[in-house]
Amino acid sequence: MSDSISKYFESNPYGDIKLEVKEQLDNAQKRKGTPVFSGVLNYFPDAIREVAICSRVGNDQHNAGKPLHWDRSKSGDELDALTRHLIEAGTIDTDGVRHSAKVAWRALANLQKEIERDNLKDK
């Protein structure tokens, strides 16, 4: 934290503003400490591209004519679906998408739902 910000915290009589600014700084540090590009996209560009293709093909199949979106009402069995595709890993599905890309998509879907569920518990 810079000296000028530290001095602001020490001299600020408005505690709520002090906490808000500190929270914003903490959030900024957390964002900067989350290497989305350098720690994920940069490591796996081809794999991420395949998962994106999988997402588009799945949308075209399950939501024909609609903009790309995750229709969660049609996606509730991530771990079972992941396992079915894992059995076929290393091969291409009938829609032209790698089963391993579908495994990755389902793993990300499951992780997203776990995080969202945990975040709701924290509130």
Side-chain angles (χ1 to χ4, degrees):
M1 188 177 321
S2 75
D3 287 338
S4 61
I5 293 173
S6 294
K7 288 176 186 171
Y8 171 79
F9 284 151
E10 292 167 8
S11 64
N12 177 21
Y14 307 107
D16 57 337
I17 295 172
K18 179 178 172 180
L19 291 174
E20 184 178 318
V21 171
K22 181 166 178 5
E23 185 176 295
Q24 289 173 356
L25 290 172
D26 289 346
N27 288 339
Q29 288 175 332
K30 189 183 287 186
R31 282 192 313 273
K32 288 181 181 183
T34 305
V36 176
F37 175 75
S38 60
V40 177
L41 297 178
N42 206 31
Y43 288 173
F44 312 111
D46 299 325
I48 298 296
R49 189 175 299 109
E50 287 296 317
V51 173
I53 291 168
C54 173
S55 192
R56 181 188 46 79
V57 169
N59 189 78
D60 293 349
Q61 177 185 352
H62 298 292
N63 306 300
K66 294 183 181 174
L68 185 63
H69 71 288
W70 179 11
D71 186 346
R72 292 180 182 215
S73 69
K74 298 176 182 177
S75 177
D77 65 338
E78 271 69 41
L79 297 178
D80 284 331
L82 181 154
T83 303
R84 289 191 299 271
H85 291 296
L86 188 58
I87 291 169
E88 303 291 330
T91 65
I92 307 294
D93 203 346
T94 57
D95 58 6
V97 177
R98 295 173 182 273
H99 282 284
S100 293
K102 293 180 178 190
V103 168
W105 194 97
R106 290 295 185 156
L108 289 168
N110 184 69
L111 178 58
Q112 181 66 37
K113 287 180 176 181
E114 281 182 12
I115 292 167
E116 290 172 359
R117 189 171 46 246
D118 289 348
N119 287 342
L120 286 176
K121 289 178 190 174
D122 293 341
K123 291 183 179 184

